[in-house]
Amino acid sequence: MGIKIDSNGLRKVLEETPPEQNIMLTGKHGIGKSRILENYFNEKNQKVVILFLGQLSDPGDLIGLPYKNEKTGKTDFMPPYWWPDDGKAVVLFLDELNRARPEVLQTVMDLTLNRKLAGKSLPEGSRIISAANDGDEYQLTDLDPALVSRFNIYNFNPGVDEWLLWAQENKLDNRVIDFIAKNPEMLDGKIFNKEDMGLEKTPDRRAWERVAKIINGKKNLENYHKIIIAGIIGMPASSSFFAFCVDKTMLSALEVLSADFSKIEKDLYSYSIPNLASLNESLFRYLETNELKDDKKEIASNNLCEYYNLLQKNNKREAMAHFANLYSNGTYTKAITFIITECPLLLTKITLFIKDI
């Protein structure tokens, strides 16, 4: 349901959509909808109020409690805790929309159409954004077509590359980053049939973040860590992750950019094309998310040039094409700037390679 958009697409939707138009984001749980919305509107100094509609037992939880107005003698409603008494516009994020009780959804109908709750109007410029889970594995409430018609609907489907870049920027444990880079189907647990898993946990983006926090700073993982992590991402995913950690022999981007290149050249020479492609992405992500000090730039630029020379000397054209594509697609702007300013010879080689394709 809805047009597919990634994180960049979502930002464009938020920029171009007038506040009076409602937005609905569909997708799986744990893919970063609320985090991206909060970050976007915090940058604009707008308050985001998140309401989990699936947790509300009746409309009173949304509109506030009734009381007798002594002046009018009529029933009025006390504003809920989140109501913007200061008159400033808010972003109301209605999460779990299609898990809400039908009677709560009736209250949402008035809110989305008239921007009112119990007769009180939201401040001008306020936005209403909702999120709905999409998939057969969820216990969902059917949404009234009249309610659905009040939203612009988009299927939020952020790519693995976006998550990897975010993970690098937020300094998640490199073992998790490298594992997902090599096994992208594990990020959202797409490899598992969740209907057949019962209560067995399966991975999602929030879960991998929790795994990274648990293993951060622990050089060696013990068997009990495997059990702990299995409670977060499930035993099948935990077993695969631990096997990866034990067998991990690939050099990190930091090692490639900072080591004596002559000492790692032999290892790099033995890498398969998929491993080289994974390393290419790691190098670009590292340069995108790390500010190299002046005393580190020279060796990093020299090593990056030597790495590309190694691909060229050994006729690893597929890996060279992948490297050139990462440069030309414009995703890693800081990495591109580094190559332009610090690696002019490498830039020339990339340019010539692209022309020859």
Side-chain angles (χ1 to χ4, degrees):
M1 182 170 61
I3 305 301
K4 285 188 177 182
I5 57 173
D6 58 12
S7 299
N8 291 329
L10 176 55
R11 294 181 73 89
K12 288 295 183 184
V13 166
L14 296 174
E15 288 171 6
E16 299 294 332
T17 304
E20 64 270 16
Q21 295 186 21
N22 307 319
I23 295 170
M24 182 190 297
L25 303 176
T26 66
K28 304 296 183 184
H29 66 281
I31 57 175
K33 296 186 289 290
S34 58
R35 173 181 284 151
I36 291 174
L37 289 173
E38 283 190 287
N39 289 343
Y40 175 84
F41 287 109
N42 285 340
E43 291 171 6
K44 299 182 177 298
N45 294 317
Q46 278 192 275
K47 182 181 179 181
V48 178
V49 177
I50 302 176
L51 299 176
F52 295 96
L53 299 190
Q55 299 176 12
L56 304 185
S57 59
D58 62 59
D61 293 335
L62 185 61
I63 64 177
L65 296 176
Y67 72 99
K68 180 181 178 181
N69 188 318
E70 297 298 336
K71 292 183 179 180
T72 64
K74 298 179 179 180
T75 299
D76 208 340
F77 289 86
M78 298 177 62
Y81 73 93
W82 55 266
W83 189 262
D85 293 323
D86 57 5
K88 294 182 179 179
V90 297
V91 178
L92 198 55
F93 181 45
L94 307 177
D95 205 356
E96 302 178 339
L97 182 69
N98 56 345
R99 290 190 173 196
R101 294 171 179 266
E103 55 269 28
V104 172
L105 290 176
Q106 290 301 316
T107 303
V108 173
M109 292 274 281
D110 187 38
L111 178 63
T112 54
L113 181 62
N114 301 311
R115 290 293 199 279
K116 289 184 177 181
L117 274 180
K120 298 181 179 65
S121 299
L122 288 172
E124 186 176 352
S126 294
R127 288 177 176 266
I128 297 176
I129 301 174
S130 71
N133 292 127
D134 183 19
D136 295 334
E137 66 268 31
Y138 301 106
Q139 295 180 351
L140 305 176
T141 303
D142 290 334
L143 296 179
D144 191 307
L147 176 60
V148 173
S149 70
R150 297 171 188 181
F151 289 92
N152 304 343
I153 302 177
Y154 305 94
N155 182 257
F156 184 53
N157 189 29
V160 176
D161 288 344
E162 293 179 72
W163 186 86
L164 289 170
L165 190 56
W166 171 86
Q168 191 83 51
E169 289 172 345
N170 287 272
K171 303 191 184 306
L172 265 63
D173 190 279
N174 282 327
R175 287 166 289 188
V176 170
I177 295 173
D178 292 343
F179 177 74
I180 296 301
K182 191 172 182 180
N183 303 277
E185 71 282 357
M186 285 284 192
L187 180 59
D188 298 310
K190 292 179 180 178
I191 195 173
F192 302 109
N193 185 337
K194 297 186 180 183
E195 290 185 0
D196 296 337
M197 297 295 286
L199 290 177
E200 176 69 65
K201 290 279 289 184
T202 55
D204 59 48
R205 299 173 190 223
R206 282 195 296 248
W208 284 115
E209 184 180 356
R210 295 199 295 270
V211 170
K213 289 180 178 178
I214 283 177
I215 68 173
N216 186 45
K218 299 177 175 67
K219 185 175 181 180
N220 298 312
L221 301 181
E222 306 294 341
N223 283 333
Y224 65 83
H225 287 123
K226 184 176 181 179
I227 301 299
I228 294 171
I229 292 171
I232 304 172
I233 57 175
M235 185 55 78
S238 180
S239 297
S240 296
F241 176 65
F242 267 71
F244 172 83
C245 292
V246 171
D247 295 338
K248 188 176 183 302
T249 57
M250 281 187 60
L251 294 163
S252 68
L254 176 59
E255 289 170 325
V256 172
L257 293 174
S258 61
D260 181 342
F261 197 83
S262 63
K263 293 182 178 179
I264 62 173
E265 189 170 4
K266 185 177 179 180
D267 290 331
L268 293 172
Y269 179 79
S270 67
Y271 282 12
S272 65
I273 294 298
N275 284 344
L276 289 171
S278 179
L279 181 56
N280 287 345
E281 292 171 358
S282 294
L283 289 167
F284 273 82
R285 282 198 306 271
Y286 184 86
L287 292 172
E288 184 71 16
T289 57
N290 290 272
E291 293 290 341
L292 295 178
K293 295 181 179 179
D294 290 339
D295 60 334
K296 304 291 185 182
K297 284 184 179 179
E298 184 176 358
I299 186 170
S301 61
N302 287 338
N303 282 14
L304 194 61
C305 291
E306 290 290 345
Y307 171 70
Y308 191 84
N309 290 341
L310 180 142
L311 300 181
Q312 196 171 37
K313 285 189 296 184
N314 293 289
N315 200 29
K316 304 283 189 178
R317 290 188 63 81
E318 290 180 58
M320 292 169 65
H322 182 257
F323 191 99
N325 181 63
L326 291 172
Y327 173 85
S328 62
N329 67 18
T331 300
Y332 301 101
T333 54
K334 292 180 181 178
I336 293 168
T337 301
F338 180 84
I339 292 174
I340 293 172
T341 58
E342 305 294 334
C343 314
L345 292 177
L346 174 58
L347 175 60
T348 300
K349 290 187 176 186
I350 294 173
T351 304
L352 292 173
F353 180 82
I354 294 173
K355 286 182 178 180
D356 289 340
I357 295 177

